[in-house]
Amino acid sequence: MRKTVLAATLAVAALAPASAGAHVTLQPNTTTAGGYTRLDVRVPTERDDASTNKVEVQFPDGFAGVSYEPVPGWSAKVATKKLTTPVQTDDGPITEGVDTITWTADSKQDALPPGAFQDFGLSLKIPDKPTKLTFKALQTYSDGQVVRWIGAEGSDHPAPIVTTTAAAAATATPAATQAAAAAPASAKADDASGNGLAIAALIVGALGLLVGVAAFATRRRSRVAA
């Protein structure tokens, strides 16, 4: 009897970490501020006696437009809201943005069964300011239970969070800077060396010409004297 109880306890303990980590999340959870990217809303079905048939994701302010990837067997509905701060574009300011996207299974057979998960893809432009973006999510099960993923980090039901960072500045390395500085100096040295060789060649040529003229004059005087 004790062995049976111990085995059951160990089995529950082994399953606990996996269950605790099976939250609704956004993948990846880090990206660059101000850029266009893809994010996936990853939804696992944690229960073993019900299926997930609806997922609603609430967007933080600043998303003027979002495209979603069609998922077979699921319908998506986008709701909008007035932006607190208009998004400036080349065509003028945008004052309305995405509020929520809700995915709903078309039938019982299309719902996410126990042990399954689904990625709901998004294509969107991340706001320019580096920050932590919180996407609250509501997960509805086939028996009507709604799990609210809206808590703080570390809570039982944390909201999905994406951390955005500033784009890395393109800066030259010290080695590259030294090489760039050395290049002109090397070119100048080569030019100076080339000029010196040219001058030396001219001098040698002139000396050779003088020697030739002198030899010719000597031979001519010898013939006259003879």
Side-chain angles (χ1 to χ4, degrees):
M1 181 64 179
R2 290 182 178 178
K3 291 182 178 180
T4 301
V5 173
L6 178 60
T9 302
L10 291 175
V12 172
L15 290 174
S19 176
H23 300 330
V24 173
T25 59
L26 278 171
Q27 303 294 331
N29 60 5
T30 58
T31 189
T32 303
Y36 288 88
T37 190
R38 174 188 174 121
L39 296 177
D40 288 308
V41 182
R42 181 160 297 174
V43 181
T45 294
E46 294 183 301
R47 293 179 52 181
D48 57 7
D49 58 351
S51 300
T52 300
N53 59 12
K54 186 167 73 171
V55 179
E56 177 185 310
V57 176
Q58 302 174 7
F59 284 73
D61 199 48
F63 288 90
V66 176
S67 298
Y68 60 86
E69 183 177 40
V71 176
W74 288 72
S75 300
K77 181 179 180 181
V78 180
T80 59
K81 64 182 177 181
K82 186 174 182 180
L83 296 175
T84 302
T85 303
V87 177
Q88 302 299 326
T89 70
D90 294 337
D91 299 324
I94 298 176
T95 59
E96 193 174 69
V98 177
D99 184 21
T100 63
I101 296 182
T102 303
W103 290 271
T104 305
D106 295 335
S107 66
K108 291 182 180 180
Q109 290 72 26
D110 295 315
L112 297 178
F117 78 91
Q118 177 65 53
D119 281 346
F120 297 90
L122 301 171
S123 176
L124 67 179
K125 182 184 184 297
I126 302 298
D128 296 332
K129 185 179 179 180
T131 186
K132 282 190 175 183
L133 300 171
T134 300
F135 297 78
K136 296 180 179 180
L138 304 180
Q139 180 180 13
T140 303
Y141 282 94
S142 53
D143 62 356
Q145 181 195 15
V146 178
V147 180
R148 301 170 63 83
W149 300 98
I150 62 174
E153 293 182 86
S155 64
D156 291 339
H157 298 95
I161 290 178
V162 174
T163 301
T164 65
T165 57
T171 56
T173 61
T177 304
Q178 292 175 5
S186 176
K188 291 179 180 179
D190 290 343
D191 290 342
S193 176
N195 292 335
L197 290 174
I199 293 172
L202 289 174
I203 293 173
V204 171
L207 290 175
L209 180 62
L210 291 175
V211 171
V213 171
F216 176 77
T218 301
R219 286 197 301 271
R220 186 173 182 181
R221 284 196 301 271
S222 298
R223 289 178 182 176
V224 173

